[in-house]
Amino acid sequence: PARDERAAPARPVAAPVARPPLGLIDLLLRDRAAVRAQIRAEVDLAGVLRTMIGTIAVAMAIVGAALGSYRGGAQIAYAAIKLPIVLLGTAALSAPALSTCGAALGRPVRLAADLALVMTGLALGALVLVACTPLVLVGRALALGYHDMILATVAMFAGAGVAALVMIGRGLDGGVPGARAALAGLCVVSALVGGQLAWALRPYLVRPRAVEVPFVRDLEGSLLDAVPEALRSANGIYRRDAAPLPGEATP
């Protein structure tokens, strides 16, 4: 049969190569499959890690400063310091869980590549949060209520978490036994580790009427203990003996 002259030639697949930091960030935004291919081929993993750690640190500092601006003052610097610590600490403690769970289920152990993949996913999530930062500033300008701002912040972080999870999930080879189970284990460990670490370094979003803003609050139980209390506060039910208003005497 005659060759169809209109048929487009197949697009050649470029071999993974090392890229400069800005080029790698640009590729993460435009062609995430190429970034995953580079990590899967274990090409310049040290460079990938350096770039993604720097991206997370800068991006989360911007997000933290935006959240801290709701209260203003020292809280801007406090939140800008703490949020990068939370995300980087979560990645450092969770990435080994991905390799460990995968190894137990028959997946090859690739600790450096798994760490690079987790960092890359979190860097993408951090960039998504930076893109949502103007919404925080709009809410502050509109004097959005404290609990409404918290809900908006949770929605932003949930969206960024989904983006990071999709990036990591697609980076795992689905044909290898244990890949999906390893991803599930990573989700559980990240939720527990990240949630408790974020709880230990709170506050990030502080009521504007707060007189003093501590760098961290005293540990009052765990994150699981705080969930029922937060639900009661969102419904207008407060325990004044535990959280008196400014100037209000404590019984």
Side-chain angles (χ1 to χ4, degrees):
R3 178 181 177 183
D4 187 354
E5 298 294 336
R6 295 173 298 176
R11 181 182 177 183
V13 179
V17 296
R19 294 177 174 84
L22 292 180
L24 190 58
I25 295 172
D26 179 66
L27 199 65
L28 179 61
L29 296 174
R30 294 188 300 104
D31 190 359
R32 287 179 283 280
V35 179
R36 291 192 294 267
Q38 179 177 342
I39 295 173
R40 193 176 294 116
E42 300 189 13
V43 174
D44 191 27
L45 291 182
V48 172
L49 282 170
R50 287 193 299 268
T51 300
M52 298 309 163
I53 289 173
T55 301
I56 292 172
V58 174
M60 294 309 294
I62 294 173
V63 175
L67 292 177
S69 69
Y70 187 73
R71 164 60 174 79
Q75 181 60 21
I76 297 176
Y78 289 169
I81 293 172
K82 291 187 291 184
L83 270 183
I85 295 174
V86 170
L87 205 58
L88 291 173
T90 300
L93 295 174
S94 300
L98 178 61
S99 299
T100 302
C101 293
L105 296 167
R107 179 174 173 267
V109 178
R110 303 169 69 236
L111 183 58
D114 288 343
L115 179 58
L117 180 60
V118 171
M119 286 293 185
T120 301
L122 293 179
L124 178 62
L127 293 173
V128 171
L129 286 172
V130 169
C132 295
T133 297
L135 299 178
V136 176
L137 302 179
V138 169
R140 176 174 173 265
L142 296 176
L144 197 65
Y146 177 71
H147 291 296
D148 291 332
M149 183 65 81
I150 287 180
L151 292 176
T153 302
V154 170
M156 287 168 43
F157 274 79
V162 170
L165 183 60
V166 170
M167 177 70 185
I168 297 171
R170 291 181 177 176
L172 295 173
D173 187 359
V176 177
R180 292 186 178 180
L183 179 61
L186 174 67
C187 293
V188 173
V189 173
S190 297
L192 294 175
V193 172
Q196 189 60 38
L197 185 58
W199 172 253
L201 292 179
R202 75 195 194 286
Y204 310 96
L205 189 67
V206 181
R207 289 181 175 87
R209 71 184 183 187
V211 178
E212 295 181 358
V213 180
F215 185 73
V216 293
R217 291 178 182 170
D218 295 333
L219 289 178
E220 301 166 352
S222 65
L223 178 62
L224 295 179
D225 298 327
V227 171
E229 190 72 26
L231 291 175
R232 285 193 293 267
S233 298
N235 290 307
I237 304 173
Y238 299 96
R239 292 172 51 198
R240 291 303 178 203
D241 57 335
L245 291 171
E248 186 178 63
T250 303

